[in-house]
Amino acid sequence: MANAQRQTTTVVETQPVKQKNEVSRKIGILGGTFNPIHLGHLIIADQVLNQLGLEQIRFMPDATPPHIDKKIAIPAADRVAMVNRAIADNPQFCIEMMEVIRGGISYTVDTMRALHQAHPETEYYFIIGGDMVEYLPKWYQIDELVNLVHFVGVKRHGYEQKSPYPIIWVDVPFVDISSTLIRSKVKQHQSINYLVPTAVEQYIKEHQLYE
């Protein structure tokens, strides 16, 4: 996904008009490689869920991580297993397997089009970091995608809350944890306690990941 030019206007998110007899579910989608999933992901999901009054957050792992060093890419099965372990104690968190099942590198617009076809009664809230908002103009078929989802931008220091597209901005406590940091610590035999859920840490140790 190529870089986007920074925009100069803030757009207020508007809701699509729905028929009175149309049943609507509000579902959040948090996509990513989750290599591995960590507490930062869970904090974002929980904050968006509660601040926007969503019914559920679905964690959507990609099948083939884009723009990643193949040496550190691990099978989707392991990443899915860690997500399942991480969210097991929260009934409002679940996993969305569409991209893993499809395989290969997926375009978000294709995934969301398929989800809408399968669940036309659902409104989807697609969560992205504030650093990714400025890239939206370069996303594949973005003009169609903005009609399929409500974009939720997680506010981040150093990034302006501006976009030519509708964005719902959410304040989330800043937690400086990344999957890259966790992989590095595991490789150096350092503690990742309190950086990932205990069940994820155990899985990494059991399967000797990232060593």
Side-chain angles (χ1 to χ4, degrees):
M1 196 176 299
N3 290 350
Q5 294 181 348
R6 191 179 297 276
Q7 305 297 319
T8 59
T9 58
T10 300
V11 177
V12 178
E13 191 274 347
T14 57
Q15 299 290 340
V17 177
K18 303 185 76 65
Q19 300 297 323
K20 291 183 179 179
N21 61 349
E22 186 176 354
V23 177
S24 177
R25 303 179 65 197
K26 295 184 176 182
I27 302 295
I29 298 288
L30 181 58
T33 302
F34 301 118
N35 187 33
I37 188 171
H38 54 71
L39 293 184
H41 294 129
L42 301 176
I43 290 170
I44 288 172
D46 181 70
Q47 289 292 314
V48 172
L49 176 84
N50 286 282
Q51 291 186 40
L52 300 186
L54 305 184
E55 177 181 331
Q56 189 179 73
I57 297 289
R58 296 180 182 174
F59 293 75
M60 186 168 68
D62 47 35
T64 303
H67 311 303
I68 192 169
D69 185 344
K70 299 301 181 183
K71 296 178 181 179
I72 60 175
I74 65 173
D78 286 318
R79 294 184 284 112
V80 166
M82 288 189 285
V83 170
N84 278 323
R85 287 196 176 196
I87 66 177
D89 63 349
N90 191 327
Q92 290 182 286
F93 288 171
C94 70
I95 193 164
E96 172 57 62
M97 292 288 290
M98 179 168 286
E99 293 193 348
V100 170
I101 292 171
R102 180 190 296 138
I105 296 176
S106 297
Y107 287 110
T108 301
V109 68
D110 293 333
T111 301
M112 298 314 303
R113 189 187 296 129
L115 285 174
H116 266 285
Q117 290 174 351
H119 307 285
E121 78 288 355
T122 300
E123 288 184 20
Y124 290 102
Y125 291 72
F126 199 88
I127 305 164
I128 59 176
D131 55 329
M132 289 299 299
V133 170
E134 65 181 58
Y135 296 133
L136 285 180
K138 296 298 183 181
W139 281 35
Y140 180 65
Q141 294 187 358
I142 184 62
D143 290 334
E144 178 181 355
L145 182 57
V146 295
N147 291 318
L148 296 174
V149 303
H150 303 285
F151 276 109
V152 179
V154 177
K155 295 180 183 179
R156 290 197 175 164
H157 297 298
Y159 294 93
E160 296 181 283
Q161 297 170 40
K162 296 179 180 180
S163 175
Y165 302 104
I167 304 291
I168 303 172
W169 290 99
V170 174
D171 273 312
V172 174
F174 178 70
V175 180
D176 192 15
I177 302 174
S178 69
S179 297
T180 300
L181 171 67
I182 293 165
R183 294 194 302 267
S184 176
K185 284 187 173 295
V186 172
K187 187 174 182 179
Q188 297 174 45
H189 305 288
Q190 296 178 356
S191 172
I192 57 172
N193 195 24
Y194 302 118
L195 299 179
V196 299
T198 301
V200 172
E201 181 179 11
Q202 292 173 343
Y203 187 93
I204 291 172
K205 290 179 179 179
E206 291 169 5
H207 295 266
Q208 299 179 320
L209 302 179
Y210 312 122
E211 294 182 359

